């Protein structure tokens, strides 16, 4: 997931990354900011100025456009690379490097970057201290990784990934330097500027990745593409937020920042461990070729997360923070945001899950068909992750950091033995099934309990999910019925997809007033968002 800072977003991210879900250490949070797809909610109830909703909606539109355009570009680049240049082994090497990078990025600034968006007052007072802390911790992490790269690569079952690790993780240092300028852009909802910056990142990283890949550089092409793109993004952030790249030090501020940030950094590392431990398990137990298939399948399962959820999370964290002091507004905002996200992602998850084989073969070619076996289970996981990520944003915003650490720690501790056992027994399919078992059977109930303690009832969550889940079930039945009757040729797939989407739209129509933020009132509709 992209964050509101420089990350390893490259042309190869779509086909190669397994660490799609990045906890929102900097995805906005704090007074003066608002939500993306709904958490701004009832402006008559929430203690927010009238102009705030317009500001948030504008930011959400830019964020959604940005996400869709960048992901489509990454998707097209991934198809080119998978079909004509790189095979499963190269994806496996890249997947390992990306996994290590994302884990380091989750805590490379010790969580202090969030203060730029979260804390009240003039952020320029403490921004120099934030930048100094972030730069120091990032450099220390990179030096440690550079030294340990051969050992890490060997333990993960791919010794040749050592060089790729050393190059790609230069992005850790770039990310640390970007904390403050990117944080100011997030604080001001400057998503239009972010789109320009991300476009520059994408164009340069894609050009370098493709050039090096066709020259035979293999997985190393992703690494240098990431570095070049992130250098450009860092420069863009500094130009868009002038005067913010300034170092300084205040011991009292530093202590306060660390007290604030370290719990969030710990929760982020645990969350990244949850979505990346499978890569380590597959790489160490089944080899880099099987890992390449798993990386592709996991990446496809993340398409809905990237396109819809990421666009929302760039500003939703900030919106929940604004509503944290108004329990009723927070509950309304969360349930509506969840409804919008689930409604938008269920049809994508159903299509990719039920038609996994034909879609993988059509898009990437028959050599990638083994990836389709794990994809249906990973699509279920992708849908669960969307809800958990939104719950994560909400719990951080209302100050339940201990609950987050406990949830993420429990998730990781339960997941590791399940994935190891399932991976050895059933390969990549077993790993995918183990993910779903732990997420659905253990983590979702714990998140629901934590949300209920924060004032968000199970009834409101059920209301948000009921119609989309009904529509998803109808979609699956329509697809299976039509596939048996007309096959899975290209025209048939188009017809099946169209019919399934129409059936879904019919099923979710009763929830349109809720999703738009209106409710019946005396025969009329009153705006609530």
């Amino acid at each position: 997931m992209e964050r509101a800072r420089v990350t390893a977003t490259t042309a190869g991210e779509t086909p190669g990354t397994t660490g799609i879900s990045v906890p929102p250490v900097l995805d906005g949070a704090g007074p003066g900011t608002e939500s993306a797809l709904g958490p701004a909610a009832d402006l008559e109830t929430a203690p927010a100025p009238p102009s705030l909703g317009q500001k948030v909606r504008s930011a959400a539109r830019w964020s959604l456009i940005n996400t869709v355009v960048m992901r489509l570009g990454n998707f097209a680049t991934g198809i080119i690379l998978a079909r004509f240049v790189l095979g499963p082994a190269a994806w496996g090497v890249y997947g390992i490097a990306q996994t290590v990078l994302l884990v380091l990025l989750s805590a490379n600034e010790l969580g202090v970057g969030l203060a730029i968006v979260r804390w009240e007052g003039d952020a320029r007072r403490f921004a120099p201290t934030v930048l100094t802390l972030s730069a120091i911790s990032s450099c220390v992490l990179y030096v440690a990784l550079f030294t340990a790269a051969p050992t890490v690569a060997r333990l993960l079952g791919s010794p040749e990934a050592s060089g790729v690790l050393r190059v790609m993780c230069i992005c850790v240092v770039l990310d640390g330097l970007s904390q403050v300028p990117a944080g100011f852009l997030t604080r001001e909802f400057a998503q239009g500027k972010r789109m320009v910056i991300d476009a520059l990142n994408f164009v340069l990283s894609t050009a370098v990745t493709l050039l090096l890949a066709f020259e035979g550089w293999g997985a190393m092409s992703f690494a240098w593409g990431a570095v070049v793109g992130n250098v450009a993004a860092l420069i863009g952030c500094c130009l868009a937020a002038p005067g913010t790249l300034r170092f300084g030090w205040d011991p009292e501020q530093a202590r306060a920042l660390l007290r604030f940030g370290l719990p969030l950094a710990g929760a982020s590392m645990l969350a990244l461990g949850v979505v990346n431990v499978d890569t380590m398990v597959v790489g160490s137990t089944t080899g880099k070729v099987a890992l390449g298939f798993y990386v592709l399948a996991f990446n496809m399962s993340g398409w809905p997360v990237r396109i819809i959820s990421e666009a929302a999370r760039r500003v939703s964290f900030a919106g929940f923070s604004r509503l944290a002091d108004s329990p009723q507004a927070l509950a309304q905002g969360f349930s509506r945001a969840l409804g919008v996200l689930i409604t938008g992602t269920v049809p994508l998850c159903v299509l990719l899950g039920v038609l996994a084989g034909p879609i993988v073969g059509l898009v990437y070619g028959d050599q990638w068909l083994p990836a389709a076996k794990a994809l249906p289970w990973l699509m279920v996981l992708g849908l669960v992750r969307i809800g958990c990520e939104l719950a994560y944003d909400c719990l951080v915003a209302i100050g339940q950091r201990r609950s987050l650490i406990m949830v993420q720690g429990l998730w990781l501790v339960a997941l590791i033995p399940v994935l190891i056992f399932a991976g050895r027994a059933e390969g990549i399919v077993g790993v995918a099934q183990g993910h779903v078992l732990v997420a659905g059977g253990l983590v979702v109930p714990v998140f629901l309990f934590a949300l209920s303690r924060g004032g968000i009832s199970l009834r409101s969550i059920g209301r948000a999910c009921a119609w989309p889940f009904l529509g998803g079930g109808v979609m699956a039945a329509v697809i299976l019925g039509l596939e048996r009757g007309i096959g899975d040729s290209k025209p048939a797939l188009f017809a099946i997809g169209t019919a399934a989407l129409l059936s879904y739209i019919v099923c979710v129509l009763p929830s349109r007033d809720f999703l738009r933020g209106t409710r019946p009132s005396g025969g009329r509709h009153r705006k609530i968002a």
Side-chain angles (χ1 to χ4, degrees), residues 192-281:
K193 293 180 180 179
R194 281 307 307 259
M195 181 172 180
V196 174
I197 294 168
D198 289 345
L200 179 65
N201 183 335
F202 170 75
V203 170
L204 292 178
S205 63
T206 299
V208 171
T209 300
L210 288 174
L211 176 63
L212 296 181
F214 278 97
E215 289 294 323
W217 285 54
M220 186 64 79
S221 60
F222 293 123
W224 283 114
V227 171
V228 171
N230 280 294
V231 168
L234 173 59
I235 294 172
C237 285
C238 294
L239 293 176
T244 57
L245 198 67
R246 184 167 59 88
F247 291 91
W249 185 255
D250 184 313
E252 185 176 347
Q253 289 178 354
R255 287 191 291 271
L257 287 165
L258 290 173
R259 284 195 301 270
F260 171 81
L262 286 176
L264 296 178
S268 294
M269 288 196 70
L270 290 172
L272 260 294
V274 166
V275 294
N276 287 285
V277 68
D278 51 358
T279 300
M280 302 177 187
V281 170

Side-chain angles (χ1 to χ4, degrees), residues 45-105:
T45 304
S51 61
L52 188 57
Q54 295 177 352
K55 189 175 183 180
V56 171
R57 284 190 289 271
S58 175
R61 284 193 294 269
W62 278 112
S63 182
L64 181 59
I65 293 170
N66 183 13
T67 302
V68 171
V69 171
M70 293 302 106
R71 295 309 173 187
L72 288 177
N74 276 319
F75 172 63
T77 304
I79 293 174
I80 295 172
L81 292 171
R83 276 188 169 272
F84 304 114
V85 187
L86 303 177
W91 291 129
V93 172
Y94 175 72
I96 289 173
Q98 183 77 348
T99 296
V100 175
L101 172 61
L102 288 172
V103 171
L104 294 179
L105 286 174

